[in-house]
């Protein structure tokens, strides 16, 4: 009998006529249970499956989203569900749960969108949880743990206090100052000679360099002490850069104190001093754009491989053609294909040093074609790489903004609850972070 029954459902003011034979294809769903009970159940039983029921009109009322319900109906008529654009994936997942529909009926492309949103919500929840950990004052923690948390906020989170911002600015200034000192120290006019006539940096520059290294060392030690996971801290990329930035100074200091005069040692000292250039990467700690760059390059690995493939094929092809076409000229500079590869790299990347150039007509035509192919090879995948960087950078900024907004909203709610109920004097628990973030993203 239920297969012959038709029911009228009103979803947020939109009326639909549904038939039992269609709904019973999926008997575990709410609509199938409703059509099976519509013939022999009391009104009280029917109201457990809907928000309201009009016995005179035989109409069931649901206070749900009518646009999302149109997508739900696709399951009964087409066997799968497609999520329309403009509908929040998390809200749609709640709609599917309300109507008793399993996630396996959702189309694969929609599942990918849902997974992306879930990952973003997880990152927001983790950021909010971190901020809440800093705000909460747990009486069970020891004095050492409180000092460690205070030190961690001071060294890692410039937005936490004025002192933390001052330290971040000082760190940024010392990085720029040490880079400038390293560059200025290579100017011959500013160098002085030691007792043996060898050029060395000016004593003033060495003093500034020593002050910068002392700051970097103290900063690294304090950040190491404040870290929760020491092993993860040591093997972090930015922390490895910090070690490489300060190690050459101490190695040179030790070798200089040992008064080693061997040529190999002198070459080692020069190599170690060159390693000071890695300290410029310390700027990534204070720049969200530099932090997003390696993530963007990682996500654009396929595009980069395509770019390298295009360039490799073009370089080999045009270097071989250039070598063959230039053999007839007596003053040719294309003496071998490997040497021609250097010319092809310079030509296809449109750098054009001019140290090697063709002199025959065919060679010039080959060079012109290589210019055009190089421009096309670079232009095709570069747009996708830039797009990935913009997406990742915008997403990173949006996550930071959303996490801060969530904290403000949660604090406002806590204030309102405190006014309504004086005994509720604490911030919202961390268990509500996911729901609070998911409800508005």
């Amino acid at each position: 009998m239920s297969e012959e029954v038709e029911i009228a459902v009103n979803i947020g003011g939109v009326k639909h006529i549904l038939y039992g034979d269609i709904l019973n294809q999926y008997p575990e769903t709410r609509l199938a249970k409703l059509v099976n009970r519509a013939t022999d159940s009391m009104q009280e039983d029917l109201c457990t499956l809907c928000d309201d029921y009009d016995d005179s009109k035989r109409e069931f009322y649901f206070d749900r989203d009518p646009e999302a319900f149109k997508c739900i109906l696709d399951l009964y008529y087409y066997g799968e569900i497609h999520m329309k654009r403009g509908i929040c994936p998390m809200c749609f997942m709640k709609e599917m749960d309300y109507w008793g529909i399993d996630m396996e009926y959702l189309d694969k492309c929609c599942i990918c969108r849902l997974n992306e949103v879930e990952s973003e919500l997880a990152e927001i929840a983790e950021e909010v949880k971190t901020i809440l950990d800093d705000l909460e004052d747990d009486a069970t923690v020891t004095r050492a743990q409180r000092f460690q948390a205070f030190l961690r906020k001071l060294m890692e989170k410039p937005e936490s206090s004025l002192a933390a911002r001052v330290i971040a600015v000082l760190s940024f200034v010392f990085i720029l100052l040490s880079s400038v000192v390293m560059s200025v120290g290579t100017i011959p006019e500013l160098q002085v000679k030691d007792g043996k006539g060898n050029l060395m940096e000016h004593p003033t520059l060495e003093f500034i360099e020593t002050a910068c290294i002392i700051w970097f060392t103290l900063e690294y030690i304090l950040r190491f002490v404040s870290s929760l996971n020491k092993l993860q801290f040591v093997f972090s990329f930015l922390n490895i850069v910090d070690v490489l930035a300060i190690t050459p100074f101490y190695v040179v200091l030790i070798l200089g104190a040992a008064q080693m005069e061997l040529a190999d040692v002198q070459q080692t000292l020069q190599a170690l001093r060159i390693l000071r250039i890695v300290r410029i990467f310390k700027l990534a700690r204070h720049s969200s754009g530099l932090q997003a760059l390696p993530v963007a390059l990682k996500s654009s690995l396929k595009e980069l491989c395509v770019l390298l493939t295009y360039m490799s094929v073009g370089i080999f092809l045009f270097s071989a053609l250039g070598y063959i076409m230039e053999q007839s000229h007596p003053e040719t500079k294309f003496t071998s294909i490997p040497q021609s590869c250097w010319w092809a790299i310079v030509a296809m990347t449109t750098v054009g040093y001019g140290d090697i150039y063709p002199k025959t007509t065919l060679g010039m035509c080959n060079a012109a074609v290589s210019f055009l192919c190089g421009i096309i090879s670079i232009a095709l995948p570069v747009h996708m790489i830039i797009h990935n960087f913009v997406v990742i950078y915008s997403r990173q900024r949006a996550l930071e903004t959303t996490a801060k907004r969530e904290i403000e909203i949660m604090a406002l709610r806590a204030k309102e609850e405190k006014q309504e109920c004086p005994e509720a004097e604490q911030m919202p628990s961390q268990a509500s972070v996911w729901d609070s973030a998911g409800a508005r993203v």
Side-chain angles (χ1 to χ4, degrees), residues 175 178-179 182-183 186 209 241 244-246 248 270-283:
I175 293 172
S178 64
S179 301
M182 182 190 66
S183 302
T186 59
E209 172 76 10
V241 170
L244 292 178
I246 62 179
Q270 292 297 328
L272 290 174
R273 296 181 72 86
I274 293 174
L275 282 178
R276 293 185 298 174
I277 60 176
V278 300
R279 68 184 59 172
I280 197 65
F281 290 107
K282 289 171 64 67
L283 291 174

Side-chain angles (χ1 to χ4, degrees), residues 176-197:
L176 292 180
L177 182 61
S178 64
S179 301
V180 171
V181 167
M182 182 190 66
S183 302
V184 172
T186 59
I187 300 177
E189 289 77 7
L190 297 180
Q191 293 179 341
V192 295
K193 294 183 178 181
D194 57 9
K196 298 181 180 180

Side-chain angles (χ1 to χ4, degrees), residues 76-304:
Y76 300 97
Y77 292 102
Y78 306 110
E80 62 180 4
I81 297 178
H82 290 273
M83 189 167 42
K84 292 183 179 179
R85 292 189 177 274
I87 298 178
C88 174
M90 302 304 297
C91 295
F92 189 77
M93 186 174 65
K94 294 179 180 179
E95 289 289 324
M96 291 183 62
D97 184 65
Y98 175 81
W99 295 108
I101 299 175
D102 194 84
M103 293 295 297
E104 65 181 11
Y105 297 110
L106 191 63
D107 189 70
K108 291 183 178 180
C109 63
C110 300
I111 292 178
C112 292
R113 289 175 54 195
L114 182 62
N115 292 336
E116 291 178 359
V117 173
E118 286 182 341
S119 63
E120 291 181 4
L121 289 178
E123 293 180 10
I124 294 174
E126 184 65 27
E127 184 70 20
V128 173
K129 181 178 180 298
T130 303
I131 298 176
L132 286 178
D133 289 338
D134 296 335
L135 294 178
E136 290 180 352
D137 189 11
D138 192 353
T140 60
V141 299
T142 63
R143 183 176 298 179
Q145 291 174 334
R146 290 183 181 180
F147 175 76
Q148 188 181 31
F150 169 77
L151 194 61
R152 183 167 60 255
K153 289 192 293 184
L154 192 65
M155 303 303 299
E156 300 285 355
K157 300 176 181 179
E159 69 280 357
S160 61
S161 64
L162 178 61
R165 283 193 289 270
V166 171
I167 290 177
V169 172
L170 283 177
S171 179
F172 185 80
V173 170
F174 273 110
I175 293 172
L176 292 180
L177 182 61
S178 64
S179 301
V180 171
V181 167
M182 182 190 66
S183 302
V184 172
T186 59
I187 300 177
E189 289 77 7
L190 297 180
Q191 293 179 341
V192 295
K193 294 183 178 181
D194 57 9
K196 298 181 180 180
N198 298 321
L199 291 177
M200 56 180 298
E201 289 185 358
H202 196 277
T204 304
L205 298 179
E206 288 187 352
F207 175 78
I208 299 175
E209 172 76 10
T210 303
C212 293
I213 293 298
I214 292 174
W215 170 265
F216 295 150
T217 305
L218 180 62
E219 181 186 26
Y220 182 84
I221 293 174
L222 292 178
R223 291 178 56 249
F224 177 79
V225 171
S226 65
S227 64
L228 297 176
N229 190 333
K230 299 295 191 292
L231 187 63
Q232 183 180 0
F233 176 87
V234 170
F235 289 100
S236 175
F237 172 75
L238 292 178
N239 296 326
I240 293 175
V241 170
D242 291 342
V243 173
L244 292 178
I246 62 179
T247 299
F249 175 83
Y250 292 106
V251 173
V252 171
L253 188 64
I254 294 172
L255 293 179
Q259 297 181 354
M260 296 182 179
E261 303 294 341
L262 297 177
D264 294 339
V265 174
Q266 295 297 327
Q267 294 177 0
T268 303
L269 293 178
Q270 292 297 328
L272 290 174
R273 296 181 72 86
I274 293 174
L275 282 178
R276 293 185 298 174
I277 60 176
V278 300
R279 68 184 59 172
I280 197 65
F281 290 107
K282 289 171 64 67
L283 291 174
R285 192 180 303 281
H286 306 279
S287 173
S288 56
L290 290 177
Q291 293 175 9
L293 182 59
V295 181
L297 292 178
K298 184 178 179 180
S299 63
S300 306
L301 190 60
K302 293 183 179 179
E303 290 80 3
L304 290 173

Side-chain angles (χ1 to χ4, degrees), residues 48 97 104 131 140 201 205 231 242 262 299 310 319 322-324 357 368 375 380 386 395 400 404 415 429:
T48 60
D97 184 65
E104 65 181 11
I131 298 176
T140 60
E201 289 185 358
L205 298 179
L231 187 63
D242 291 342
L262 297 177
S299 63
Y310 288 164
S319 62
Y323 172 74
I324 295 173
Y357 55 90
I375 294 174
L380 287 177
I386 295 176
R395 179 169 170 267
E400 295 175 357
K404 294 178 181 178
K415 184 178 180 180
S429 63

Side-chain angles (χ1 to χ4, degrees), residues 338-405:
Q339 188 178 17
S340 301
C341 284
W342 165 250
W343 166 82
I345 293 173
V346 173
M348 292 194 67
T349 55
T350 67
V351 176
Y353 281 125
D355 53 345
I356 301 177
Y357 55 90
K359 296 183 178 180
T360 63
T361 303
L362 290 177
M364 294 179 182
C365 293
N366 177 60
V369 175
S370 69
F371 299 155
L372 298 176
C373 292
I375 294 174
I376 295 174
S377 300
I378 295 175
L380 287 177
V382 161
H383 174 72
M384 293 181 285
I385 297 174
I386 295 176
H387 174 73
N388 290 339
F389 174 79
V390 172
V391 169
I392 292 174
Y393 180 74
S394 302
R395 179 169 170 267
Q396 181 178 343
R397 300 289 295 178
L399 290 178
E400 295 175 357
T401 304
T402 304
K404 294 178 181 178
R405 185 184 64 184

Side-chain angles (χ1 to χ4, degrees), residues 326-339:
E326 291 294 311
Q327 288 302 300
S328 59
H329 198 280
E331 299 179 359
T332 180
K333 296 184 178 181
F334 293 77
T335 57
S336 64
I337 291 182
Q339 188 178 17

